[in-house]
């Protein structure tokens, strides 16, 4: 792509200058400093709330400093992608070669969709970026800050009336407003685990999810992320733009929130289906930072370089979207308030016309009455012929799935076949998209295969044993 090559030539250097921490009794504010030399400076901001009565100075905590620096390493990719400079200099902290290789792997795979959609074929994992660590503040990252395990630090915790970080005080659950995080909340409730919800930039569906789950204000941690206006302006001017690994931001910011609130686990809601590539025959995956590869990689990074941070895992990793939808169908208290439509996110609604809406409609259809699904979305989406191309993408007739967080092709086809069976047995007419589906070879293929998902269980997961047993019992029992 000519624009990619010309921008790299015009702007060859990007710098992670540093970060500033402002702390008071109520919050921790972090301002990051990035610069594409010769183009623009950027100063995105994160704000994390403190627990009530917390008088600790988190800016003096060595592990917190390392986590804040690491969050900046994820944040920088949103600004780097504007011009894709070949050299990135890191001045905010120190990285060894293993860490540099780790970050490059995350960036390259997490930008797979960005490169693909922008037609950038010139990027390769070895040469798309050269990370050079200048390490102006390496003394901070190398251990000059107060060790949180010292007696003096422990005494300060006790004076605040707060238990020492590291005690098993519960689980942080990131909430996106969709069905998956609601399922995680309900499973953890069944397990009797104390839970705090974690929300980045709260909106209607995320707030309503916590309310329906019965979580009071003391058990909801709301962080605020503010993008730099210079980046938004450059996007409007036509500089490079596209998808970045947002779930990696959730991971690194989530362990910061967990540490500040004394929580020892962070339970994501990413399912086995997230491992499937978006483009058949490639490694391009819209959901890369929701994949098990990223989960394992993150687990390695935090146990190696962020020792003492909360245990990170996905509660739903053993499951398919099919099983999650089946469990969620029984949680009717959430049906009127959950939302996961990107097109309708600003109005907190289902647009009823996008791939995400159609996917959620189809995956829920085998487990709910037709009118119940229509009531959720406000329309009968499978009776909209304008959605045929989107259906072809979801079921695999087209090589590309939509660049959305949707389930695997196999389970979508399975759900459609079961929906058709249920409608026909009830003597109801098929909507036009399902009538069309019956004319494809896929219908006969998946009708012959039958339901392969009700008892599915992916053993490649990091779910603690006691919780894994719960997931099996309620979601993978074959019923």
């Amino acid at each position: 792509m000519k624009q990619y090559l010309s921008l790299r030539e015009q702007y060859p250097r990007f710098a992670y200058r540093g970060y500033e921490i402002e702390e008071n009794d109520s919050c921790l504010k972090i301002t990051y400093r990035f610069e594409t030399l010769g183009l623009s400076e950027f100063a995105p901001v994160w704000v994390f709330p403190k627990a009530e009565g917390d008088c600790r100075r988190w800016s003096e905590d060595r592990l917190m400093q390392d986590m804040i620096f690491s969050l900046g390493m994820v944040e920088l990719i949103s600004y780097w992608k504007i011009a894709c400079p070949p050299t990135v200099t890191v001045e905010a902290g120190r990285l060894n070669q293993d860490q540099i290789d780790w970050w490059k792997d995350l960036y390259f795979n997490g930008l797979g969709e960005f490169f693909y959609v922008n037609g950038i074929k010139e990027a390769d994992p070895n040469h798309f970026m050269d990370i050079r660590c200048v390490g102006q503040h390496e003394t901070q990252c190398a251990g000059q800050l107060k060790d949180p395990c010292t007696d003096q630090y422990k005494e300060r915790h006790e004076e605040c009336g707060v238990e020492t970080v590291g005690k098993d005080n519960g689980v942080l659950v990131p909430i996106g407003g969709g069905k998956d995080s609601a399922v995680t909340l309900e499973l953890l409730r069944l397990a009797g685990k104390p839970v705090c919800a974690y929300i980045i930039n709260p909106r209607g569906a995320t707030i309503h999810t916590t309310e329906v789950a019965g979580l009071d204000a003391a058990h909801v941690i709301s962080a605020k992320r503010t993008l730099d206006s210079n980046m938004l302006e450059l996007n409007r001017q036509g500089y490079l733009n596209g998808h970045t690994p947002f779930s990696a931001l959730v991971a690194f910011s989530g362990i910061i929130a967990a540490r500040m609130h004394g929580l020892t686990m962070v339970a994501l809601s990413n399912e086995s289906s997230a491992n499937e590539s978006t483009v058949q025959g490639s490694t391009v995956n819209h959901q890369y930072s929701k994949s098990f590869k990223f989960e394992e990689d993150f687990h390695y990074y935090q146990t190696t370089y962020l020792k003492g941070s909360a245990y990170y895992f996905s509660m739903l990793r053993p499951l398919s979207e099919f099983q999650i939808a089946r469990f969620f169908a029984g949680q009717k208290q959430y049906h009127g308030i959950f939302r996961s439509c990107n097109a309708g996110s600003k109005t907190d609604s289902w647009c009823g016309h996008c791939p995400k809406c159609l996917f959620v409609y189809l995956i829920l259809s085998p487990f709910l009455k037709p009118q119940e699904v229509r009531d959720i979305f406000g329309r009968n989406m499978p009776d909209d012929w304008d959605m045929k191309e989107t259906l072809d993408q979801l079921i695999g007739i087209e090589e590309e799935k939509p660049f959305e967080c949707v389930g695997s092709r196999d389970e979508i086809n399975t759900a459609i076949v079961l929906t058709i069976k249920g409608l026909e047995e009830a003597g109801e007419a098929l909507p036009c998209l399902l009538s069309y589906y019956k004319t494809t070879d896929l219908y006969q293929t998946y009708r012959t295969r039958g339901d392969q998902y009700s008892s599915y269980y992916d053993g490649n997961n990091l779910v603690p044993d006691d919780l894994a047993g719960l997931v099996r019992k309620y979601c993978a029992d074959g019923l």
Side-chain angles (χ1 to χ4, degrees):
M1 182 186 184
K2 290 183 179 179
Q3 186 183 19
Y4 170 76
L5 295 175
S6 63
L7 285 173
R8 284 167 67 83
E9 183 177 358
Q10 187 175 358
Y11 306 107
R13 288 186 59 207
F14 180 93
Y16 178 3
R17 298 294 191 197
Y19 54 84
E20 300 158 9
I21 300 175
E22 300 173 61
E23 185 173 8
N24 57 35
D25 292 340
S26 63
C27 68
L28 189 72
K29 178 182 177 182
I30 307 155
T31 303
Y32 290 100
R33 302 293 179 183
F34 306 123
E35 182 180 1
T36 299
L37 277 71
L39 179 62
S40 181
E41 295 180 347
F42 310 101
V45 175
W46 281 79
V47 179
F48 294 91
K50 288 186 174 183
E52 186 175 354
D54 181 5
C55 61
R56 286 168 287 192
R57 300 297 297 175
W58 289 108
S59 56
E60 299 177 6
D61 175 17
R62 176 184 169 184
L63 176 56
M64 182 62 70
Q65 284 271 356
D66 289 345
M67 291 193 292
I68 289 171
F69 164 65
S70 298
L71 178 59
M73 288 295 296
V74 191
E75 189 69 76
L76 75 79
I77 201 63
S78 295
Y79 299 89
W80 175 88
K81 77 177 191 303
I82 293 169
C84 301
T87 299
V88 173
T89 57
V90 177
E91 302 172 4
R94 189 172 66 181
L95 299 169
N96 62 32
Q97 189 59 50
D98 179 59
Q99 290 172 292
I100 289 173
D101 292 343
W102 190 94
W103 285 106
K104 285 184 65 175
D105 183 74
L106 169 61
Y107 296 154
F108 187 78
N109 287 292
L111 290 172
E113 176 183 335
F114 167 79
F115 291 136
Y116 180 83
V117 171
N118 283 291
I120 299 172
K121 299 179 180 179
E122 298 84 357
D124 71 82
N126 295 319
H127 303 105
F128 79 104
M129 178 190 293
D130 177 27
I131 299 177
R132 299 176 183 177
C133 189
V134 178
Q136 275 186 342
H137 306 291
E138 67 179 22
T139 54
Q140 287 189 338
C141 295
Q144 295 299 313
L145 293 171
K146 190 182 296 289
D147 188 333
C149 294
T150 64
D151 290 339
Q152 183 180 358
Y153 197 86
K154 289 179 181 178
E155 288 171 4
R156 185 180 299 174
H157 282 200
E158 292 166 1
E159 290 171 1
C160 291
V162 182
E163 293 179 325
T164 303
V165 171
K167 190 173 178 61
D168 187 6
N169 285 339
V171 187
L172 185 83
V173 179
I175 304 297
K179 67 185 185 330
D180 296 356
S181 53
V183 169
T184 294
L185 286 173
E186 289 303 309
L187 289 172
L188 289 169
R189 183 183 62 79
L190 290 168
K193 293 284 187 182
V195 168
C196 282
Y198 173 57
I199 305 174
I200 300 173
N201 294 344
R203 60 186 178 88
T206 54
I207 296 169
H208 296 326
T209 297
T210 64
E211 292 172 344
V212 171
L215 298 175
D216 60 20
H219 291 84
V220 179
I221 304 167
S222 297
K224 183 178 181 182
R225 178 194 182 211
T226 303
L227 299 173
D228 186 275
S229 59
N230 290 339
M231 178 188 73
L232 301 176
E233 175 58 30
L234 290 169
N235 289 342
R236 285 190 287 268
Q237 292 179 20
Y239 284 79
L240 291 170
N241 194 13
H243 181 73
T244 56
F246 179 78
S247 293
L249 281 174
V250 176
F252 280 96
S253 66
I255 60 174
I256 290 175
R259 182 160 180 79
M260 290 179 66
H261 291 259
L263 305 169
T264 56
M265 290 193 289
V266 177
L268 277 292
S269 304
N270 304 324
E271 74 292 333
S272 177
S273 315
N275 296 324
E276 183 178 79
S277 64
T278 304
V279 181
Q280 291 188 37
S282 79
T283 59
V284 176
N285 185 359
H286 173 78
Q287 301 189 80
Y288 172 74
S289 55
K290 290 186 175 182
S291 70
F292 186 58
K293 180 187 182 302
F294 173 75
E295 185 176 334
E296 281 191 305
D297 288 350
F298 183 78
H299 182 71
Y300 164 78
Y301 195 89
Q302 66 172 154
T303 55
T304 305
Y305 300 109
L306 301 172
K307 292 180 180 179
S309 56
Y311 182 77
Y312 171 95
F313 70 100
S314 176
M315 184 77 172
L316 308 185
R317 182 66 66 194
L319 303 175
S320 67
E321 281 275 20
F322 183 91
Q323 292 162 303
I324 295 167
R326 184 183 63 176
F327 183 90
F328 182 76
Q331 309 303 313
K332 297 187 185 298
Q333 67 272 30
Y334 292 98
H335 290 187
I337 58 95
F338 86 107
R339 303 285 188 274
S340 53
C341 168
N342 291 321
S345 61
K346 290 184 179 180
T347 56
D348 201 46
S349 62
W350 297 101
C351 77
H353 299 278
C354 73
K356 187 59 179 281
C357 284
L358 182 58
F359 162 70
V360 179
Y361 197 113
L362 293 173
I363 206 71
L364 286 174
S365 290
F367 313 112
L368 293 172
K369 295 177 181 178
Q371 188 59 50
E372 289 180 309
V373 194
R374 289 195 289 270
D375 287 346
I376 290 172
F377 294 90
R379 63 192 302 264
N380 187 2
M381 292 187 68
D383 212 26
D384 181 356
W385 188 248
D386 290 340
M387 298 295 293
K388 176 185 173 295
E389 182 179 353
T390 301
L391 178 68
D392 287 344
Q393 292 176 319
L394 289 170
I395 62 181
I397 288 178
E398 298 289 339
E399 289 189 357
E400 283 184 20
K401 283 198 303 184
F403 284 102
E404 297 269 7
C405 295
V406 298
S408 71
R409 299 169 180 90
D410 283 345
E411 60 193 335
I412 296 170
N413 281 283
T414 299
I416 293 173
V417 167
L418 290 178
T419 299
I420 291 173
K421 179 182 178 182
L423 290 173
E424 290 181 336
E425 288 178 348
E428 297 198 30
L430 296 181
C432 65
L433 291 183
L434 300 193
S435 294
Y436 156 71
Y437 182 84
K438 283 193 70 175
T439 68
T440 69
D441 293 338
L442 291 169
Y443 174 68
Q444 294 299 334
T445 298
Y446 283 93
R447 187 174 70 163
T448 301
R449 289 184 187 180
D451 177 4
Q452 296 182 314
Y453 286 101
S454 287
S455 58
Y456 175 84
Y457 190 87
D458 189 340
N460 293 318
N461 64 76
L462 298 177
V463 183
D465 290 343
D466 60 331
L467 296 179
L470 193 81
V471 171
R472 279 188 182 274
K473 178 180 178 181
Y474 288 99
C475 301
D477 57 8
L479 296 178

